[in-house]
Amino acid sequence: MSWLGDDDDLDDVEEFDESRIRTRPNPKANRPRTKRRPAHDDAEIGRILGVDRGRYSVLLGEDTADERMITAARARELRRTPIVTGDEARVVGDLSGDDGTLGRIVGIVERTSLLRRSADDTDQVERVIVANADQMLVVVAAADPEPRARLVDRYLVAALDAGIRPLLVVTKTDLADPADFLAHFDGLDLTVFTSARGHMPVDEIGTALVGHSTVFVGHSGVGKSTLVNALVPEAHRATGHVNEVTGRGRHTSSSTVSLRYVGATGSGWVIDTPGVRSFGLGHVDPANILTAYTELAEIAENCPRGCTHLADAEDCALNEAAADGELSETGQARLESLQRLLATFAG
């Protein structure tokens, strides 16, 4: 039996013949994949507090009656996107925070800052440490282990490159006088705190943390974890000791984590990081360092193209201003500070 009538012409239906159309077989009999992604208009934005084996701790509803902590995984489309502590993430899925539930991170809000380091000064591949911090607290010991001015310089360069305000805490001042070490940083806008056994300036440091997101960095064994525990008692960060033979501290903080500081005048965020013995600057743009010295940056506009601004740079407007006595005593100290940091970056 045919569905064609007696008056139908076979030639008229050839245009409907689909026998020549080739289709790829779909053995799984599922819907074809599409590159179109859902908009996730219902996503909530939360703060990444830490990560453990691919699971992110996310704080939702911060500072509201609905504040809660959830666990989330990274969406497949973000597998090449670094997600770090301090990020503000767009999260969907089960956002109740109940045991056994899992949300999904589907996007990252544009960052205000990004603290990075490279493996060494020749490495252009950056390692993202923390996002959206606006302060860096460098912790260094006056002794045991001996302070390393060059490492602190590198921290400062990384902070200035990221547009982050640097602070400095010198611990163990009962063991040695840090005056000579601190003289190394004359001319730099740097708030300095000193700490000794039995006298840790928790309140003074805490006041500087209120309203800020502050990343703590420091060499192993300088007392960074001890300071974090004093500021945030419920943190329970592991503390260690310094090896008497090598003079090196043992890494005790194994991961980067955000902790809420609550003081008499308000709250802030403490971001504790693992101790490091090196801090590569291969990713840094030296021009960002100059912008931190506003008055010197204005003078440097008269420098020739490609000027390094180092002490031996020819035709450098900064060096000429210093030689002609146009810089104040403070300006001279700031120039020396700038050139020291640029030299650290250069070599």
Side-chain angles (χ1 to χ4, degrees):
M1 175 179 288
S2 173
W3 55 271
L4 295 174
D6 294 338
D7 297 332
D8 291 326
D9 189 345
L10 291 177
D11 293 336
D12 294 338
V13 298
E14 285 185 358
E15 60 180 307
F16 301 108
D17 183 13
E18 298 181 350
S19 62
R20 292 188 301 273
I21 296 177
R22 299 182 62 184
T23 60
R24 298 180 64 181
N26 187 356
K28 295 183 179 180
N30 53 12
R31 296 176 60 184
R33 295 184 63 182
T34 175
K35 292 184 178 181
R36 296 182 62 184
R37 301 297 183 190
H40 297 300
D41 294 330
D42 60 338
E44 290 191 36
I45 296 178
R47 180 190 295 268
I48 302 292
L49 299 186
V51 58
D52 181 20
R53 291 169 290 185
R55 293 292 183 261
Y56 296 84
S57 298
V58 185
L59 182 67
L60 296 178
E62 184 175 339
D63 295 329
T64 70
D66 193 32
E67 181 176 290
R68 63 203 183 279
M69 183 84 69
I70 72 164
T71 301
R74 179 200 304 254
R76 178 179 298 178
E77 57 264 31
L78 296 181
R79 62 185 179 276
R80 297 185 182 276
T81 302
I83 302 175
V84 298
T85 301
D87 266 324
E88 292 187 344
R90 301 178 65 242
V91 191
V92 299
D94 191 331
L95 307 183
S96 65
D98 296 338
D99 290 342
T101 60
L102 187 67
R104 185 160 55 97
I105 299 174
V106 295
I108 298 297
V109 177
E110 184 177 359
R111 294 152 169 164
T112 58
S113 70
L114 200 60
L115 180 62
R116 306 162 293 169
R117 74 181 180 96
S118 54
D120 54 55
D121 290 349
T122 63
D123 185 9
Q124 297 297 319
V125 178
E126 63 188 35
R127 276 71 172 172
V128 180
I129 300 175
V130 66
N132 299 322
D134 61 337
Q135 290 188 150
M136 172 192 282
L137 185 72
V138 181
V139 185
V140 61
D144 191 31
E146 292 297 317
R148 296 170 55 188
R150 181 176 174 81
L151 178 59
V152 175
D153 280 344
R154 288 174 169 268
Y155 286 137
L156 297 177
V157 167
L160 296 177
D161 177 67
I164 298 174
R165 177 191 177 211
L167 310 170
L168 178 66
V169 176
V170 183
T171 64
K172 307 181 183 180
T173 55
D174 53 302
L175 301 181
D177 186 351
D180 291 342
F181 170 75
L182 291 176
H184 184 73
F185 305 100
D186 287 345
L188 183 65
D189 290 334
L190 184 65
T191 301
V192 178
F193 304 94
T194 57
S195 175
R197 182 183 296 274
H199 178 66
M200 184 178 293
V202 174
D203 293 338
E204 293 88 338
I205 296 175
T207 299
L209 302 180
V210 172
H212 297 282
S213 181
T214 307
V215 54
F216 283 43
V217 298
H219 188 282
S220 303
V222 297
K224 178 169 60 65
S225 295
T226 300
L227 177 59
V228 169
N229 288 336
L231 292 164
V232 188
E234 62 273 19
H236 303 300
R237 298 295 274 177
T239 58
H241 66 281
V242 177
N243 189 298
E244 295 181 358
V245 176
T246 65
R248 290 183 173 183
R250 180 173 61 88
H251 294 304
T252 53
S253 299
S254 59
S255 61
T256 300
V257 61
S258 286
L259 305 163
R260 178 181 272 140
Y261 166 78
V262 179
T265 58
S267 64
W269 288 98
V270 170
I271 306 175
D272 190 21
T273 63
V276 296
R277 298 192 179 103
S278 63
F279 208 95
L281 301 175
H283 63 283
V284 170
D285 181 357
N288 292 338
I289 311 304
L290 181 59
T291 59
Y293 296 80
T294 308
E295 70 280 15
L296 297 182
E298 294 176 355
I299 299 175
E301 292 178 356
N302 298 317
C303 288
R305 183 185 299 273
C307 181
T308 64
H309 310 302
L310 296 176
D312 58 353
E314 296 183 2
D315 301 323
C316 175
L318 293 173
N319 291 330
E320 292 177 354
D324 294 341
E326 298 177 5
L327 297 181
S328 64
E329 183 177 347
T330 300
Q332 181 66 41
R334 289 177 62 76
L335 175 59
E336 294 173 0
S337 170
L338 169 66
Q339 292 177 335
R340 187 187 71 253
L341 294 182
L342 292 176
T344 297
F345 168 76

